[in-house]
Each structure stands twice: as structure tokens, then as C-alpha cells.
């Protein structure tokens, strides 16, 4: 039985649920607005409202992604181009069929289902129609926030290219179902299907579709990217960086409009946001430091995930008792300083952000296209003692393309596209160290944010075009000798160390870490990219 319990729903008869192998016995809600979804979520006990009327939800024991429970079906077709390994784990078609049957049967017997149709990708030339079928109203509301919303006219003819069957309360049985736990996220690339069960964490929904976009766009000559982007109205800039490197902080600039904060595509037309919203970390959020994001947490329509409330019903963003990964999702319209269409022209500047705790990398360097490919594939940052249990010395972290968990193809595919587009558009590529110099994290403070901003603004504004650059003897990239508002001495890290011999030893150590990490990619890389590797001089 397919029905809708709400009058005036934007039902879609182009692709009824029977086409997904479903025959639901309960009510089906088609494309409800966020107001109705939030009301139903509260009525069903899926969440509650904060003092500001914002929906608050909790996700149980799984408060983040479950990477060990995500699989791609290993079958002929698109999966033949997957780079298999610990990140992209295969599962056999028979396992998928069993889980698919179990998921369909479960959803068929749910008392209510919520269908949400949308698009992934703001550029009409490249956007992908997607659908979520879920047992939870609040997950449908999350879909409404995070993807590009379809108009009423578009809903009438909306035919999804990929559909997520979402059953967060369904638990797998590892021994019988062929899973690693009671949760599963399985992508069937050629069937246009994703099945998710056993986890309420909403981020699995958007990251599943992001992974699919990362797989299909390169075949069309487009580069999918895990980055933020902004523009001054004429020139755009991209910001890549792992957690803690300053990606969100540095891409938020009152003089530049936000294109998007997390996931983008780069076509011949320029840059476009994959998403229709933002999924921000909220732990220790303050109104003073991040006023734009803070304001969304008081805006009805937003969703707070795993945030603890004070006695008066207001969020306590310093409380991480449920998780340090507290989240908020909101439509991008909640950000005033943004591009109206979530698009911008071809990037003139590409920025890689790293937090180097070893104190070796310069605060700013300029990279050639080949060096850009090398460092893009490396995706380097460093963890510092105290950030995680057991870390007593700086620990290098490499996440290829600055988003390894979501890149199904070999990293060289994305790196080749990046260097080609940098070369074609005469884009400049910069590596910015937001971490330490002067002996590393044990001997000095982190580089002042005002210095980092001065270097970034000088790079974006072209103020470094006439500055003398020198070549770093190990890493080979170009380093400016001066920048207004920044002490000349810190631009050359070796000069900031009390013992230059000690610097050389640590620098050689880090260079060797890069070399060792890159061995896994070397076979499919060009000689030019391989030549961009750092040198060990000692």
C-alpha cells in the first residue's frame, strides 16, 4: 500500500516505491517540508525542540561514521575501477542481495516511511538526482537540509539516479549477514542503490552520495573535491585540509562569499557545491569566534545532533559527554555571505592546509602542478601529544586527497585531474602550515592566526607576485622571503630553530615519512609527480 497521511504532499508518480522493490504496508510521506518533518519527529519521539525551536536528536552509540562497516559491491561495471583496500572494502553480490532483501522487508513493515527527493550538485549540467527512503522523519529533514532542494515542478518528473534505503533501527547479524557488526553501509554502484542499517548517524547519508559522486565524476573529466570554496565575485579559491588545520576558519572571510564548506566539483565551467547545506562540528562553538555558524543553532529548520542542553533548553556546546563529534545541519541559505547559486568561476588559487607539529614546513610555500599532485595525494597533517590517548610525540597523518575515506578510485586519478586543471587555468597552488616552526610544538607556540591570514590574503590578492622566492632544499617548493605583516624570519623555518643540526635531522625524518607513505601510490604515478618527492639530505 502506498499512501500519504498528509494532504498536499508533493508526490512523485514518476518513480513509485515499487520500482525500488518496496511494497510498504504503512503510510508513506512524500517530500514533506522541514516544518512537517520536524513536527512529526517530535511527535514520534525521534527528537525534541530546544528553547529556540531547533530540532535536537541523538544517534545512540554510533556518533560518527562507521568506516569498518562500509562496503562497495564487487561486481562487473563501475566497481571495476575501485581502488580496493582498507578504505574501499569489497563485499560480494550475494551478501548485498541478502542485506537488500532484509532491508526491503524491514521497510515494508515499518509503520511510516518518509521519501525525500533532491539533487547532489548545484550545477544543473552535472547535478545528480537522488532519493532517500527512510523510517525516520528527522533523517528526511537532514536530507532536506544537506542536498540541493528540488522545486515543485522538478519533483513531478524527478527520477533518482541513486536511492538510499535507510533503516537505522535494523540490526544486521554479522555471522549470517556477512557484515563486520550490526551496522552496514553498502554501495551498489551499478544498481543505483545504497543500503544503510544499524546506525542513526546522519553523516552516513551524505557521505555515501559524496563517495558515489567521487567515483562517477572523474570519468566525465570533472574533479570531485573534499574542500571548502569561496570567491571575491571574480576569482574563486579552494581550501583543502584535514581536521584541525584551519579549513573552516580560513575559508570564512567577510570579504569573500562562501560557495560551500565541504564538498565541491570542478568542471570546465568552474566550481560548484555538491550540497545544499552545511554539516558543522559544534563542539566548543562560540558566538564570538564563529558568529555565522552560531546563529544557525538558533534558527528553526536547523538540526542539532548529540548536543547536550542546559536546564533552560539552550545548547551547551562545551559539553562533549555524548561525543566530541557534536554536529549541526542547516540549509546554506542560513549563511548570509554566500554565492546565490552555490557556484563560482574557475579557481585562481588552490590552498592546501597542514598543521605541521614537527616545525619543518614553511608557513607558506608555492607549488608547481606536479608538486600539487604529490602533496594532494599525500594529504599531510600531524597529530600532537595530548590530542589522542597514547600520542607522546608528533605523529604524521596522511589522508590522500584530503579525504581518503570517500575516494573510491586510485588517488592518482584525482591528482592528475587537479594538476591538469591547475595548469589549464593557470591557477596558483599554495601549501600553508598553520602549525609550528621554531623547534616544533614542544619548543614554541603555534603560528599566530594573524600571520597565517596575512600570508593567505597576500597570496590570494596577488601581493606576492613581485616578491623574491627561494627554493626549499628538501621539498623543492618555492618559499617567499618577505610578506607584509609577517616577520621575515619565520618564513624560513630552519632560521627559527636554535640548533640547525637538530632541524636538519627532524626535516629529514619528515621527508622520509612522506617518501614511505607515497610508496603505495607510486606505481600509477607519472615520473614528473614522482620527481616532486622531498629529498633526504642527511
Amino acid at each position: 500500500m502506498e499512501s500519504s497521511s498528509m494532504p498536499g504532499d508533493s508526490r512523485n508518480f514518476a518513480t513509485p516505491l515499487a520500482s525500488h522493490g518496496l511494497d510498504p504496508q504503512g503510510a508513506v510521506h512524500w517530500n514533506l517540508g522541514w516544518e512537517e518533518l520536524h513536527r512529526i519527529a517530535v511527535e514520534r519521539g525521534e527528537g525534541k525542540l530546544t528553547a529556540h525551536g531547533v530540532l535536537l536528536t541523538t544517534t545512540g552509540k554510533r556518533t560518527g561514521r562507521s568506516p569498518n562497516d562500509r562496503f562497495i559491491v564487487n561486481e562487473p561495471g563501475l566497481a571495476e575501477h575501485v581502488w580496493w583496500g582498507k578504505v574501499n572494502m569489497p563485499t560480494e553480490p550475494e551478501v548485498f542481495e541478502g542485506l537488500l532483501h532484509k532491508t526491503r522487508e524491514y521497510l515494508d513493515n515499518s509503520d511510516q516511511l518518509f521519501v525525500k527527493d533532491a539533487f547532489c550538485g548545484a550545477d544543473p549540467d552535472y547535478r545528480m538526482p537522488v532519493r532517500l527512503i527512510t523510517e525516520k522523519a528527522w533523517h528526511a529533514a537532514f536530507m532536506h537540509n544537506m542536498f540541493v532542494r528540488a522545486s515543485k515542478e522538478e519533483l513531478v518528473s524527478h527520477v533518482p539516479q541513486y536511492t538510499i534505503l535507510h533503516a537505522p533501527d535494523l540490526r544486521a547479524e554479522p555471522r549470517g549477514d556477512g557484515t563486520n557488526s550490526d551496522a552496514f553501509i553498502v554501495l551498489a554502484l551499478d544498481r543505483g542503490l545504497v543500503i544503510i542499517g544499524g546506525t542513526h548517524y546522519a553523516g552516513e547519508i551524505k557521505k555515501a552520495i559524496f563517495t558515489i559522486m567521487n567515483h562517477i565524476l572523474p570519468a566525465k573529466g570533472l574533479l570531485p573535491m573534499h574542500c571548502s570554496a569561496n570567491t571575491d565575485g571574480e576569482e574563486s579559491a579552494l581550501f583543502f585540509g584535514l581536521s584541525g588545520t584551519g579549513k573552516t576558519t580560513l575559508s570564512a572571510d567577510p570579504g569573500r562569499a562562501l560557495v560551500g564548506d565541504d564538498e565541491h566539483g570542478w568542471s570546465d565551467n568552474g566550481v560548484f557545491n555538491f550540497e545544499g547545506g552545511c554539516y558543522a562540528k559544534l563542539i566548543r562553538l562560540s558566538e564570538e569566534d564563529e558568529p555565522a555558524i552560531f546563529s544557525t543553532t538558533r534558527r528553526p529548520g536547523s538540526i542539532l545532533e548529540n548536543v547536550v542542553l542546559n536546564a533552560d533548553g539552550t545548547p551547551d556546546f562545551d559539553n562533549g559527554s555524548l561525543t566530541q563529534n557534536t554536529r549541526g545541519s542547516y540549509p546554506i541559505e542560513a549563511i548570509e555571505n554566500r554565492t546565490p547559486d552555490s557556484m563560482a568561476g574557475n579557481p585562481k588559487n588552490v590552498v592546501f592546509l597542514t598543521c605541521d607539529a614537527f616545525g619543518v614546513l614553511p608557513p607558506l610555500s608555492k607549488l608547481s602542478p606536479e608538486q600539487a599532485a604529490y602533496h594532494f595525494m599525500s594529504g599531510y597533517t600531524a597529530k600532537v601529544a595530548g590530542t589522542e590517548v597514547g600520542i607522546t610525540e608528533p605523529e604524521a597523518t596522511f589522508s590522500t586527497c584530503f579525504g581518503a575515506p570517500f575516494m573510491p578510485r586510485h588517488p592518482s586519478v584525482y591528482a592528475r585531474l587537479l594538476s591538469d586543471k591547475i595548469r589549464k587555468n593557470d591557477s596558483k597552488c599554495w601549501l600553508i602550515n598553520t602549525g609550528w616552526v621554531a623547534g616544533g610544538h614542544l619548543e614554541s607556540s603555534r603560528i599566530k592566526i594573524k600571520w597565517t591570514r596575512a600570508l593567505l590574503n597576500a597570496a590570494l590578492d596577488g601581493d606576492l607576485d613581485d616578491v623574491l622566492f627561494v627554493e626549499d632544499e628538501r621539498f623543492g617548493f618555492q618559499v617567499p622571503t618577505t610578506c607584509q605583516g609577517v616577520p621575515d624570519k619565520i618564513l624560513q623555518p630552519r632560521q627559527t630553530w636554535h640548533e640547525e643540526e637538530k632541524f636538519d635531522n627532524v626535516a629529514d625524518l619528515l621527508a622520509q615519512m612522506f617518501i614511505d607513505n607515497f610508496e603505495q601510490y607510486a606505481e600509477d604515478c607519472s615520473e614528473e609527480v614522482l620527481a616532486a618527492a622531498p629529498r633526504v639530505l642527511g
Side-chain angles (χ1 to χ4, degrees), residues 437-473:
V437 290
H441 82 288
L442 292 176
E443 303 292 333
S444 65
S445 300
R446 194 166 174 177
I447 294 172
K448 294 180 180 181
I449 186 65
K450 67 177 183 179
W451 293 345
T452 301
R453 279 205 177 277
L455 286 163
L456 174 62
N457 290 337
L460 298 185
D461 295 341
D463 294 341
L464 299 179
D465 290 353
D466 297 324
V467 167
L468 175 66
F469 281 72
V470 295
E471 182 176 304
D472 184 278
E473 61 179 350

Side-chain angles (χ1 to χ4, degrees), residues 60-86:
K61 68 176 183 179
R62 296 181 184 270
T63 58
R65 292 186 305 104
S66 301
N68 292 331
D69 301 306
R70 197 200 72 158
F71 304 91
I72 298 174
V73 183
N74 186 11
E75 57 188 352
L78 289 171
E80 294 173 353
H81 302 286
V82 171
W83 190 50
W84 301 110
K86 292 181 180 179

Side-chain angles (χ1 to χ4, degrees), residues 141-149 202-203 206 227-229 248 251 258-264 273-282 292-293 296-297 299 301-305 327-338 342:
F142 175 86
M143 182 82 169
H144 176 88
N145 280 355
M146 295 309 304
F147 288 84
V148 178
R149 288 158 287 283
K206 81 162 203 153
C227 70
S228 59
T248 300
S251 63
L258 182 72
V259 181
D261 77 331
D262 200 34
E263 301 165 1
H264 293 82
N273 193 353
F274 281 176
E275 301 179 288
C278 303
Y279 193 41
K281 288 184 179 179
L282 301 182
I293 296 176
T296 68
T297 66
R299 180 185 184 277
S302 298
I303 303 172
L304 305 185
E305 237 178 282
R327 292 276 181 168
S329 71
Y330 48 90
I332 200 167
E333 290 82 1
I335 302 296
E336 292 185 6
N337 186 24
R338 60 180 177 84
S342 294

